[in-house]
Amino acid sequence: MKKRFLTLLLLVLGSSGIFAQQQDYTTSNIPTFTDAELLNRIRSVRNKVIPPRFDRIVKSYINTYTVKKRDKTERMLGQMDVYFPLFEHYLKQKNLPVDLKYLPVVESALNPRAVSRSGAVGLWQFMPPTGREYGLKINSLVDERKDPTKSTEAALKYLGRLYKKYGDWSLVLAAYNGGPGRVNRAIKRGRSKNFWRIRRYLPAETRAYVPAFIAATYIINFHHHHLLDPIPSDVDMRYTETTKIYQRISFQTISEITGTRMDLIEDLNPSYKQRFLPTNSKGNYLRLPAHRMASLMNYLGRPDASRNRLGAQSIYKPADAIYNNSFNRTTYVVRGNETMAQLAEKYNCKVKDIRDWNRLENETLRRGQRLTFFILKVSAVDLLPMPLPDVLPFAQSSKANQYPALPKYKSDARYIGKRYRLPKIGKKDKYIYHQLRRRESLKDVADQYPKLILEDLLRLNNIKEGQQLKPGSRLIVGEK
């Protein structure tokens, strides 16, 4: 599939970008174990891909994970909660061994932006020809090798095809790394389909690939024995929803609609090079924090959107976050020359809050320092000063069903259109109908009629929450 260096784990992990930096560690407080102890643990893992095996190469990889690159390993371990559920979902769907989820640990250290020296990209490290062969789009706007969902689907298709050819997962992994041609030649020279017998006929990086997989499996399952503490990712990276978007929309618009930070949108959608989703008749995947997706669905006017009405509520001061359940706790690792003021702006809090949460005496930060933050569980749309499209804020009062006056219609998408009260339509009245076109949202329909807004369109047609509409459906849009 690609030609990559895998002689040393340092080089493999270094290609991902996450593991690129050098750092010295004091080994006096790092646990050590005998070869017999390591072997017993490896044997205890029920791995349906590679049978348990322990040799000097496996041991060297384990040593790199647990001693030489401890901080990088902890960062990688923190990404498990982000990507393993995705891998497991598609592996079960394709009826492939779930243990294949460890493969991207070897390939990219769970970094979707990983780029190798040979030009392989993404969690699964596709070279351009192979990526395009398996349906991944690569152009000036999009590199779907970086898309976690699409690249996973493509990788599993490729792995399934290789297994049909070889019927042995050790050979499949070797072919995934070095290419089927090299494996075929090694099988011919060694007169065997046993990976360990033909291993000497393979290139050095491919010979080390299966041992690297065994070491990755070990470290995921037994990192706690080595006192490795996974650095948790942002809570909004772990609890996400994915939808398909067919029309062009910018990250800036998505940020304004949902209140999601721009850097978080970029981290969740690394395949888009220009900070927008281009038009795509087959649809582009957009991934957002789960509690923010409803705002986007409301904006797009989809009948399957959850039409949340956000009531006014007391917002606890961040300093009180430890004592209530309105916040999610997350850990952040300081990078470069970041200041506390920059982090306060990023997490929508005060410098004093950061100091209180972390019991800091001053604002001095150091690279690699771990900070605790508390993030509101509610969507950031609750905190925006301007009402968002089709999300109707109301103040709690004795008139529970009365809404305050809304701003007049403006073309800017941040404003809600003027609320028009259409007369009730009786059975004898004649209506104006609109036929729903393919990929046309209800918001698009409402925008075509100046005296109609989305809420009235839903009421007139008795469209219920969760209801799906098919192209060709007739919708009442007014009276003649």
Side-chain angles (χ1 to χ4, degrees):
M1 177 181 180
K2 52 197 171 295
K3 185 176 181 180
R4 297 181 61 217
F5 52 99
L6 247 170
T7 307
L8 296 173
L9 183 63
L10 174 60
L11 296 179
V12 178
L13 299 179
S15 68
S16 71
I18 290 180
F19 287 67
Q21 298 176 345
Q22 298 286 340
Q23 188 166 345
D24 295 329
Y25 290 92
T26 302
T27 59
S28 58
N29 59 347
I30 298 176
T32 58
F33 302 98
T34 65
D35 291 356
E37 289 174 310
L38 297 177
L39 176 58
N40 287 335
R41 288 180 193 152
I42 290 174
R43 285 176 174 173
S44 69
V45 178
R46 296 182 179 179
N47 194 319
K48 295 183 179 180
V49 176
I50 303 297
R53 190 182 182 97
F54 183 77
D55 58 20
R56 62 179 182 82
I57 300 179
V58 174
K59 183 179 179 179
S60 70
Y61 281 126
I62 293 175
N63 185 63
T64 301
Y65 277 123
T66 59
V67 179
K68 296 180 180 179
K69 293 291 174 181
R70 286 181 65 87
D71 62 335
K72 309 306 185 293
T73 300
E74 288 178 333
R75 293 185 188 181
M76 180 268 290
L77 291 170
Q79 298 301 305
M80 290 190 299
D81 291 339
V82 176
Y83 297 112
F84 274 18
L86 173 70
F87 301 155
E88 291 167 359
H89 170 75
Y90 284 103
L91 285 165
K92 291 175 182 177
Q93 189 181 84
K94 301 293 184 182
N95 198 28
L96 293 172
V98 176
D99 295 319
L100 286 172
K101 67 184 179 182
Y102 302 120
L103 188 56
V105 174
V106 180
E107 287 289 338
S108 63
L110 299 182
N111 176 15
R113 291 190 174 92
V115 180
S116 75
R117 293 179 181 176
S118 59
V121 169
L123 288 166
W124 298 87
Q125 290 290 279
F126 275 101
M127 291 292 286
T130 311
R132 292 190 176 98
E133 180 183 351
Y134 284 87
L136 298 179
K137 188 179 296 184
I138 305 169
N139 55 39
S140 61
L141 300 180
V142 176
D143 189 343
E144 290 182 345
R145 293 176 296 173
K146 297 180 182 179
D147 185 303
T149 301
K150 290 188 176 182
S151 66
T152 297
E153 291 179 309
L156 299 192
K157 286 181 184 178
Y158 185 43
L159 289 167
R161 174 184 167 189
L162 290 174
Y163 187 74
K164 287 182 180 179
K165 178 179 179 67
Y166 296 110
D168 179 272
W169 285 113
S170 298
L171 296 177
V172 168
L173 296 188
Y176 189 88
N177 172 256
R182 289 190 175 94
V183 173
N184 293 342
R185 288 191 292 272
I187 290 173
K188 187 175 181 179
R189 291 183 64 185
R191 298 180 182 179
S192 173
K193 289 189 175 181
N194 183 304
F195 170 80
W196 302 103
R197 291 180 181 175
I198 67 169
R199 182 180 173 188
R200 58 177 177 163
Y201 300 112
L202 292 168
E205 68 272 13
T206 306
R207 290 199 301 268
Y209 196 75
V210 173
F213 183 88
I214 295 173
T217 304
Y218 172 87
I219 206 63
I220 296 298
N221 287 278
F222 300 106
H223 58 84
H224 52 284
H225 287 287
H226 297 266
L227 302 184
L228 289 164
D229 186 16
I231 299 176
S233 58
D234 190 316
V235 67
D236 281 340
M237 289 286 291
R238 298 197 294 271
Y239 304 105
T240 64
E241 288 184 6
T242 303
T243 188
K244 271 190 174 183
I245 304 294
Y246 296 90
Q247 301 300 323
R248 173 179 172 136
I249 185 169
S250 70
F251 284 8
Q252 182 64 39
T253 299
I254 296 169
S255 179
E256 291 176 358
I257 293 167
T258 65
T260 309
R261 303 191 321 265
M262 281 283 287
D263 65 300
L264 184 57
I265 297 174
E266 293 176 15
D267 287 343
L268 288 171
N269 302 276
S271 62
Y272 303 108
K273 298 179 178 179
Q274 307 295 334
R275 293 189 175 184
F276 70 85
L277 279 67
T279 300
N280 185 352
S281 60
K282 295 181 179 180
N284 290 311
Y285 284 113
L286 175 67
R287 194 178 182 198
L288 290 176
H291 64 283
R292 301 175 190 253
M293 185 63 80
S295 299
L296 181 66
M297 296 295 95
N298 289 333
Y299 173 79
L300 297 175
R302 294 191 180 179
D304 57 343
S306 173
R307 295 182 53 75
N308 295 334
R309 291 177 175 175
L310 306 174
Q313 59 180 309
S314 299
I315 302 298
Y316 291 94
K317 293 180 180 179
D320 300 325
I322 298 173
Y323 308 108
N324 67 74
N325 61 1
S326 297
F327 292 78
N328 281 317
R329 179 174 178 170
T330 188
T331 301
Y332 181 82
V333 180
V334 178
R335 308 171 186 171
N337 297 320
E338 288 178 313
T339 66
M340 199 170 288
Q342 291 172 331
L343 296 181
E345 181 179 359
K346 179 177 181 179
Y347 283 95
N348 192 29
C349 63
K350 298 179 180 179
V351 170
K352 182 179 181 301
D353 297 326
I354 302 176
R355 291 179 58 182
D356 290 344
W357 293 337
N358 296 277
R359 299 179 180 178
L360 301 176
E361 296 181 357
N362 53 52
E363 298 181 15
T364 303
L365 298 177
R366 66 180 185 280
R367 184 184 183 90
Q369 182 178 0
R370 297 185 189 183
L371 298 176
T372 296
F373 286 86
F374 291 87
I375 303 172
L376 276 170
K377 292 180 181 178
V378 297
S379 170
V381 293
D382 290 333
L383 309 176
L384 293 178
M386 187 60 63
L388 296 174
D390 311 323
V391 181
L392 305 177
F394 63 91
Q396 295 176 346
S397 66
S398 58
K399 299 180 179 180
N401 295 323
Q402 297 297 317
Y403 293 89
L406 300 177
K408 293 182 179 181
Y409 175 78
K410 293 186 178 182
S411 59
D412 194 321
R414 293 176 296 174
Y415 292 84
I416 300 177
K418 183 177 179 182
R419 189 180 179 85
Y420 288 89
R421 292 297 185 186
L422 298 184
K424 292 184 179 179
I425 299 174
K427 294 182 179 179
K428 296 182 180 180
D429 294 324
K430 295 182 180 180
Y431 315 132
I432 299 174
Y433 290 96
H434 178 95
Q435 189 170 26
L436 191 65
R437 294 189 290 271
R438 189 167 181 262
R439 307 203 186 289
E440 187 177 45
S441 71
L442 295 182
K443 182 68 166 58
D444 295 333
V445 175
D447 288 344
Q448 296 177 44
Y449 300 89
K451 294 186 177 182
L452 183 67
I453 63 171
L454 180 59
E455 186 184 7
D456 290 322
L457 179 63
L458 297 175
R459 177 178 58 80
L460 287 169
N461 294 276
N462 195 28
I463 298 174
K464 305 297 183 183
E465 182 177 329
Q467 181 177 345
Q468 297 279 355
L469 297 182
K470 296 181 180 180
S473 300
R474 287 208 310 168
L475 301 173
I476 300 172
V477 294
E479 298 178 79
K480 289 185 178 180

